[in-house]
CSV table of all heavy atoms in Angstrom, one decimal:
chain,number,residue,atom,x,y,z
M,849,TYR,N,29.5,-21.5,16.5
M,849,TYR,CA,29.8,-22.7,15.7
M,849,TYR,C,28.5,-23.5,15.4
M,849,TYR,O,28.4,-24.7,15.5
M,849,TYR,CB,30.7,-23.7,16.5
M,849,TYR,CG,32.0,-23.0,16.9
M,849,TYR,CD1,32.1,-22.6,18.2
M,849,TYR,CD2,33.0,-22.8,16.0
M,849,TYR,CE1,33.3,-22.0,18.6
M,849,TYR,CE2,34.2,-22.1,16.4
M,849,TYR,CZ,34.3,-21.7,17.7
M,849,TYR,OH,35.5,-21.1,18.1
M,850,GLU,N,27.4,-22.7,14.9
M,850,GLU,CA,26.2,-23.4,14.6
M,850,GLU,C,25.5,-22.6,13.5
M,850,GLU,O,25.8,-21.4,13.3
M,850,GLU,CB,25.3,-23.6,15.7
M,850,GLU,CG,24.8,-22.3,16.3
M,850,GLU,CD,23.9,-22.5,17.6
M,850,GLU,OE1,24.2,-23.5,18.3
M,850,GLU,OE2,23.0,-21.8,17.7
M,851,SER,N,24.6,-23.2,12.7
M,851,SER,CA,23.9,-22.5,11.7
M,851,SER,C,22.8,-21.7,12.2
M,851,SER,O,22.2,-22.0,13.2
M,851,SER,CB,23.4,-23.6,10.7
M,851,SER,OG,24.4,-24.3,10.1
M,852,GLN,N,22.4,-20.7,11.4
M,852,GLN,CA,21.3,-19.8,11.8
M,852,GLN,C,20.0,-20.5,11.4
M,852,GLN,O,20.0,-21.4,10.5
M,852,GLN,CB,21.5,-18.5,11.1
M,852,GLN,CG,22.5,-17.6,11.6
M,852,GLN,CD,22.2,-17.1,13.0
M,852,GLN,OE1,22.5,-17.7,14.0
M,852,GLN,NE2,21.6,-16.0,13.1
M,853,ALA,N,18.9,-20.1,12.0
M,853,ALA,CA,17.6,-20.6,11.6
M,853,ALA,C,17.2,-20.1,10.3
M,853,ALA,O,17.5,-18.9,9.9
M,853,ALA,CB,16.6,-20.1,12.7
M,854,LEU,N,16.5,-20.9,9.5
M,854,LEU,CA,16.1,-20.5,8.2
M,854,LEU,C,14.9,-19.6,8.2
M,854,LEU,O,14.1,-19.6,9.2
M,854,LEU,CB,15.8,-21.7,7.3
M,854,LEU,CG,16.9,-22.8,7.2
M,854,LEU,CD1,16.4,-24.0,6.4
M,854,LEU,CD2,18.2,-22.2,6.6
M,855,GLU,N,14.7,-18.7,7.2
M,855,GLU,CA,13.6,-17.8,7.2
M,855,GLU,C,13.2,-17.7,5.7
M,855,GLU,O,14.0,-17.9,4.8
M,855,GLU,CB,14.0,-16.4,7.7
M,855,GLU,CG,15.1,-15.8,7.0
M,855,GLU,CD,15.5,-14.4,7.5
M,855,GLU,OE1,14.7,-13.9,8.3
M,855,GLU,OE2,16.5,-13.9,7.1
M,856,PRO,N,11.9,-17.2,5.5
M,856,PRO,CA,11.5,-17.0,4.1
M,856,PRO,C,12.3,-15.9,3.5
M,856,PRO,O,12.4,-14.8,4.1
M,856,PRO,CB,10.0,-16.7,4.2
M,856,PRO,CG,9.6,-17.2,5.6
M,856,PRO,CD,10.8,-17.1,6.5
M,857,VAL,N,12.8,-16.1,2.3
M,857,VAL,CA,13.6,-15.1,1.6
M,857,VAL,C,13.2,-15.1,0.1
M,857,VAL,O,12.9,-16.1,-0.5
M,857,VAL,CB,15.1,-15.5,1.6
M,857,VAL,CG1,15.9,-14.6,0.7
M,857,VAL,CG2,15.6,-15.4,3.1
M,858,ILE,N,13.1,-13.9,-0.5
M,858,ILE,CA,12.8,-13.7,-1.9
M,858,ILE,C,14.2,-13.3,-2.5
M,858,ILE,O,14.8,-12.3,-2.2
M,858,ILE,CB,11.8,-12.5,-2.2
M,858,ILE,CG1,10.4,-12.9,-1.6
M,858,ILE,CG2,11.7,-12.3,-3.6
M,858,ILE,CD1,9.7,-14.0,-2.4
M,859,LEU,N,14.6,-14.2,-3.4
M,859,LEU,CA,16.0,-14.0,-4.0
M,859,LEU,C,16.1,-12.6,-4.7
M,859,LEU,O,17.2,-12.0,-4.8
M,859,LEU,CB,16.3,-15.1,-5.0
M,859,LEU,CG,16.7,-16.4,-4.3
M,859,LEU,CD1,17.0,-17.5,-5.4
M,859,LEU,CD2,18.0,-16.2,-3.5
M,860,ASN,N,15.0,-12.1,-5.3
M,860,ASN,CA,15.1,-10.8,-6.0
M,860,ASN,C,15.4,-9.7,-5.0
M,860,ASN,O,16.2,-8.8,-5.4
M,860,ASN,CB,13.7,-10.5,-6.6
M,860,ASN,CG,13.5,-11.3,-7.9
M,860,ASN,OD1,14.3,-12.0,-8.4
M,860,ASN,ND2,12.3,-11.1,-8.5
M,861,ASP,N,15.0,-9.8,-3.8
M,861,ASP,CA,15.3,-8.8,-2.8
M,861,ASP,C,16.8,-8.8,-2.5
M,861,ASP,O,17.5,-7.8,-2.4
M,861,ASP,CB,14.6,-9.1,-1.4
M,861,ASP,CG,13.1,-8.7,-1.5
M,861,ASP,OD1,12.7,-8.1,-2.5
M,861,ASP,OD2,12.4,-9.0,-0.6
M,862,VAL,N,17.4,-10.0,-2.4
M,862,VAL,CA,18.8,-10.2,-2.1
M,862,VAL,C,19.6,-9.5,-3.2
M,862,VAL,O,20.6,-8.8,-3.0
M,862,VAL,CB,19.2,-11.7,-1.9
M,862,VAL,CG1,20.7,-11.8,-1.7
M,862,VAL,CG2,18.4,-12.3,-0.8
M,863,VAL,N,19.3,-9.8,-4.5
M,863,VAL,CA,20.0,-9.3,-5.6
M,863,VAL,C,19.9,-7.8,-5.7
M,863,VAL,O,20.9,-7.1,-5.9
M,863,VAL,CB,19.5,-9.9,-6.9
M,863,VAL,CG1,20.2,-9.3,-8.1
M,863,VAL,CG2,19.7,-11.4,-6.9
M,864,THR,N,18.7,-7.3,-5.5
M,864,THR,CA,18.4,-5.8,-5.6
M,864,THR,C,19.2,-5.1,-4.5
M,864,THR,O,19.8,-4.1,-4.8
M,864,THR,CB,16.9,-5.5,-5.5
M,864,THR,OG1,16.2,-6.2,-6.5
M,864,THR,CG2,16.7,-4.0,-5.6
M,865,ASP,N,19.1,-5.6,-3.3
M,865,ASP,CA,19.8,-4.9,-2.2
M,865,ASP,C,21.3,-5.0,-2.3
M,865,ASP,O,22.0,-4.1,-1.8
M,865,ASP,CB,19.5,-5.6,-0.8
M,865,ASP,CG,18.0,-5.3,-0.4
M,865,ASP,OD1,17.4,-4.4,-1.1
M,865,ASP,OD2,17.5,-5.9,0.5
M,866,LEU,N,21.9,-6.0,-3.0
M,866,LEU,CA,23.3,-6.1,-3.2
M,866,LEU,C,23.8,-5.4,-4.4
M,866,LEU,O,25.1,-5.4,-4.6
M,866,LEU,CB,23.7,-7.6,-3.2
M,866,LEU,CG,23.8,-8.3,-1.8
M,866,LEU,CD1,24.2,-9.7,-2.0
M,866,LEU,CD2,24.8,-7.6,-0.9
M,867,GLU,N,22.9,-5.0,-5.3
M,867,GLU,CA,23.4,-4.6,-6.7
M,867,GLU,C,24.4,-3.4,-6.6
M,867,GLU,O,25.4,-3.5,-7.3
M,867,GLU,CB,22.2,-4.1,-7.5
M,867,GLU,CG,22.4,-4.0,-8.9
M,867,GLU,CD,21.2,-3.9,-9.8
M,867,GLU,OE1,20.1,-4.1,-9.2
M,867,GLU,OE2,21.3,-3.7,-11.0
M,868,ALA,N,24.1,-2.4,-5.8
M,868,ALA,CA,25.1,-1.3,-5.7
M,868,ALA,C,26.4,-1.8,-5.2
M,868,ALA,O,27.5,-1.3,-5.7
M,868,ALA,CB,24.5,-0.2,-4.8
M,869,LEU,N,26.4,-2.6,-4.2
M,869,LEU,CA,27.7,-3.1,-3.6
M,869,LEU,C,28.4,-3.9,-4.6
M,869,LEU,O,29.6,-3.8,-4.8
M,869,LEU,CB,27.4,-4.0,-2.4
M,869,LEU,CG,28.5,-4.8,-1.8
M,869,LEU,CD1,29.6,-3.8,-1.2
M,869,LEU,CD2,28.1,-5.7,-0.7
M,870,LEU,N,27.7,-4.8,-5.4
M,870,LEU,CA,28.4,-5.6,-6.4
M,870,LEU,C,29.0,-4.8,-7.5
M,870,LEU,O,30.1,-5.1,-8.0
M,870,LEU,CB,27.4,-6.6,-7.0
M,870,LEU,CG,26.9,-7.7,-6.1
M,870,LEU,CD1,25.8,-8.5,-6.8
M,870,LEU,CD2,28.0,-8.6,-5.6
M,871,GLU,N,28.3,-3.7,-7.9
M,871,GLU,CA,28.8,-2.8,-9.0
M,871,GLU,C,30.2,-2.2,-8.5
M,871,GLU,O,31.1,-2.1,-9.3
M,871,GLU,CB,27.8,-1.8,-9.3
M,871,GLU,CG,26.7,-2.3,-10.2
M,871,GLU,CD,25.6,-1.2,-10.5
M,871,GLU,OE1,25.6,-0.2,-9.8
M,871,GLU,OE2,24.8,-1.4,-11.4
M,872,ARG,N,30.2,-1.8,-7.3
M,872,ARG,CA,31.5,-1.2,-6.8
M,872,ARG,C,32.6,-2.2,-6.7
M,872,ARG,O,33.7,-2.0,-6.9
M,872,ARG,CB,31.2,-0.5,-5.4
M,872,ARG,CG,30.3,0.7,-5.5
M,872,ARG,CD,30.4,1.5,-4.1
M,872,ARG,NE,29.9,0.7,-3.0
M,872,ARG,CZ,28.6,0.7,-2.7
M,872,ARG,NH1,27.7,1.4,-3.3
M,872,ARG,NH2,28.2,0.0,-1.6
M,873,THR,N,32.2,-3.4,-6.3
M,873,THR,CA,33.2,-4.5,-6.1
M,873,THR,C,33.7,-5.0,-7.4
M,873,THR,O,34.9,-5.3,-7.5
M,873,THR,CB,32.5,-5.7,-5.3
M,873,THR,OG1,32.0,-5.2,-4.1
M,873,THR,CG2,33.5,-6.8,-5.1
M,874,LEU,N,32.9,-5.1,-8.4
M,874,LEU,CA,33.3,-5.6,-9.7
M,874,LEU,C,34.2,-4.6,-10.4
M,874,LEU,O,35.1,-5.0,-11.2
M,874,LEU,CB,32.1,-5.9,-10.6
M,874,LEU,CG,31.2,-7.0,-10.1
M,874,LEU,CD1,29.9,-7.1,-10.9
M,874,LEU,CD2,31.9,-8.4,-10.2
M,875,GLY,N,34.0,-3.3,-10.2
M,875,GLY,CA,34.9,-2.3,-10.9
M,875,GLY,C,34.3,-1.9,-12.2
M,875,GLY,O,33.3,-2.5,-12.8
M,876,GLU,N,34.9,-0.9,-12.8
M,876,GLU,CA,34.4,-0.3,-14.0
M,876,GLU,C,34.5,-1.2,-15.2
M,876,GLU,O,33.8,-1.0,-16.2
M,876,GLU,CB,35.0,1.1,-14.3
M,876,GLU,CG,34.7,2.1,-13.2
M,876,GLU,CD,35.4,3.4,-13.5
M,876,GLU,OE1,36.2,3.5,-14.5
M,876,GLU,OE2,35.2,4.4,-12.7
M,877,HIS,N,35.5,-2.1,-15.2
M,877,HIS,CA,35.7,-2.9,-16.4
M,877,HIS,C,34.8,-4.1,-16.5
M,877,HIS,O,34.8,-4.8,-17.5
M,877,HIS,CB,37.2,-3.5,-16.3
M,877,HIS,CG,37.4,-4.5,-15.3
M,877,HIS,ND1,37.3,-4.2,-13.9
M,877,HIS,CD2,37.8,-5.8,-15.3
M,877,HIS,CE1,37.6,-5.3,-13.2
M,877,HIS,NE2,37.9,-6.2,-14.0
């Protein structure tokens, strides 16, 4: 029941790492 400690993050890394997962989640349409 508490927040995690913050850390340096590059948003481009987050988007790139999730891209394949998002494509499968969104579907072909």
